[in-house]
Amino acid sequence: MSRPIQAHIELSALRNNLRVVRRASSARVMAVVKANAYGHGLLQAAEALSDADGFALLDVRDAVALREAGFRQPILLLEGFFSRDELPLLAEYELTTVIHSQQQIEWLEAYPRRNGLAVWLKINSGMNRLGFAAQEFPAVMERLKSHRAVREVTLMTHFALADEAPGVATQLSLFEQLTANHRLPRSLANSAAILHHPASHGDWVRPGIMLYGSSPFADVSAEALGLQPVMTLSSELISVREIKAGDAVGYGATFRAGQAMRIGTVACGYADGYPRHAASGTPVLVDGKRTHTVGRVSMDMLSVDLSDLPEARVGSRVVLWGEGMPIDDVARAAGTISYELLCALAPRVPVRR
Ligand SMILES: *Cc1c(COP(=O)(O)O)cnc(C)c1O
């Protein structure tokens, strides 16, 4: 027998969540599958999302893998190419590339072939991470329009505040002003903007986290948005003990019992991708009932309070997140966001689909 931990990926939930995107927006859907589809497995997730109109990711090798698996949709490289050596691959596999820097334009201009590249020109509308500044945009647009290698241009930007106040208004209006004179397709919206800012949908929306069943908002649950969890991380109790008032649990003795307690040890630790920063009190399900962690998370194990769960015993099923245990609740208790937890699922955890 191996360790009882496993991640179950419910592919039908991905399809459900894509339908939620479709209900929210009539724009074409560029499904974001970067970071191994947010930890869910690139090819399997793409297969479940095969109704999407395109796929977006970072690594050209992953893009090639998608093409070779038979996907015919546009495949967008969200950070574009990282050297001129990648350009022949883009042409060969008909990959769409973001262009966000002068360096990339220079590489493109030095590239001799007329290869009909599709590019997404990224405008920095306030995130200040990638993209051309407003004052650079007109000249860049001219250079791309007259470029022999460029077949079509889509205009894009990315929001910093789609999920919270004051929202996208400033970035959206800058983008609209800049691009008003160009009859070109547009793309702006991530999950939060898809759900809260319909005016930003443009021609292509770019959902990521909502496809994986998590809420992009701190104050609205995934369930309330009609999203279903895709990844369920579960394990079992491998030890159960009684402790007395004053006894401590785990490294650093950070948790000390105020009265007699029943403590369970779960086969799941930070080497599985469970966040070490999850403080005592982080929610967890044991036999379908909600309880919480106690003490520090260690590499391969964590401890839970079973004082109110007299039936729990060695072998009881524990759900760390997913079905019945919203990952957003776990992330909040650990001072992070669901994105980080999903992406950090460790390769040693067996995945069942
Ligand atoms: C990751 C990413 C997205 C998806 O964002 P979510 O918040 O996961 O929906 C969209 N656009 C770009 C440029 C991204 O990098």
Side-chain angles (χ1 to χ4, degrees), residues 243-311:
I243 62 172
K244 316 182 293 300
D247 288 350
V249 178
Y251 284 117
T254 58
F255 177 84
R256 209 167 276 284
Q259 72 271 328
M261 290 178 78
R262 213 163 158 251
I263 298 291
T265 305
V266 183
C268 175
Y270 61 78
D272 298 302
Y274 195 88
R276 184 176 174 279
H277 286 105
S280 289
T282 300
V284 54
L285 284 191
V286 177
D287 281 339
K289 296 180 197 84
R290 205 164 159 126
T291 178
H292 54 264
T293 64
V294 291
R296 279 198 189 140
V297 173
S298 45
M299 183 183 284
D300 310 308
M301 288 173 266
L302 56 81
S303 302
V304 293
D305 183 358
L306 302 178
S307 304
D308 295 332
L309 302 174
E311 322 275 75

Side-chain angles (χ1 to χ4, degrees), residues 5-264:
I5 190 166
Q6 69 161 20
H8 176 226
I9 308 282
E10 182 56 56
L11 294 171
S12 67
L14 275 171
R15 287 188 279 272
N16 170 77
N17 299 339
L18 178 58
R19 287 193 294 274
V20 176
V21 176
R22 296 270 189 217
R23 279 199 292 278
S25 177
S26 56
R28 279 176 285 174
V29 175
M30 179 64 77
V32 179
V33 291
K34 63 192 180 191
N36 193 30
Y38 291 47
H40 293 72
L42 174 64
L43 290 171
Q44 296 88 345
E47 187 57 46
L49 295 169
S50 59
D51 280 348
D53 305 293
F55 294 104
L57 40 63
L58 299 184
D59 192 314
V60 72
R61 289 165 301 184
D62 290 336
V64 167
L66 278 185
R67 269 289 174 263
E68 291 194 327
F71 293 96
R72 303 307 314 151
Q73 296 93 325
I75 299 175
L76 174 66
L77 298 169
L78 283 167
E79 295 176 0
F81 43 99
F82 297 92
S83 79
R84 65 173 60 173
D85 304 343
E86 288 177 353
L87 282 166
L89 270 185
L90 304 197
E92 184 180 347
Y93 288 92
E94 290 183 57
L95 306 178
T96 303
T97 181
V98 164
I99 302 268
H100 64 79
S101 71
Q102 296 288 354
Q103 174 71 83
Q104 287 174 326
I105 296 189
E106 279 157 32
W107 283 330
L108 198 60
E109 289 183 340
Y111 183 63
R113 267 176 53 186
R114 295 174 181 277
N115 62 6
L117 270 188
V119 311
W120 286 36
L121 180 59
K122 186 155 190 175
I123 298 172
N124 172 20
S125 59
M127 179 86 164
N128 289 317
R129 196 175 61 173
L130 291 184
F132 294 97
Q135 52 287 14
E136 294 176 286
F137 171 71
V140 169
M141 201 56 226
E142 280 313 303
R143 275 169 90 179
L144 285 186
K145 272 203 304 205
S146 59
H147 196 288
R148 65 186 179 283
V150 174
R151 167 170 51 98
E152 58 176 60
V153 178
T154 296
L155 300 172
M156 78 178 291
T157 195
H158 193 55
F159 296 129
L161 286 166
D163 55 333
E164 55 188 295
V168 302
T170 309
Q171 285 190 258
L172 180 58
S173 74
L174 175 62
F175 182 84
E176 283 178 339
Q177 263 172 42
L178 274 178
T179 60
N181 293 330
H182 299 280
R183 288 175 173 279
L184 294 172
R186 280 149 223 268
S187 176
L188 308 85
N190 59 2
S191 298
I194 290 167
L195 294 165
H196 271 185
H197 305 291
S200 74
H201 287 183
D203 301 277
W204 285 94
V205 292
R206 306 189 305 268
I209 197 66
M210 68 183 289
L211 292 174
Y212 306 101
S214 171
S215 172
F217 309 112
D219 55 351
V220 187
S221 72
E223 191 180 7
L225 297 167
L227 301 170
Q228 295 173 0
V230 181
M231 181 195 295
T232 295
L233 180 63
S234 68
S235 188
E236 291 178 5
L237 294 179
I238 58 169
S239 174
V240 174
R241 74 197 57 249
E242 311 281 340
I243 62 172
K244 316 182 293 300
D247 288 350
V249 178
Y251 284 117
T254 58
F255 177 84
R256 209 167 276 284
Q259 72 271 328
M261 290 178 78
R262 213 163 158 251
I263 298 291

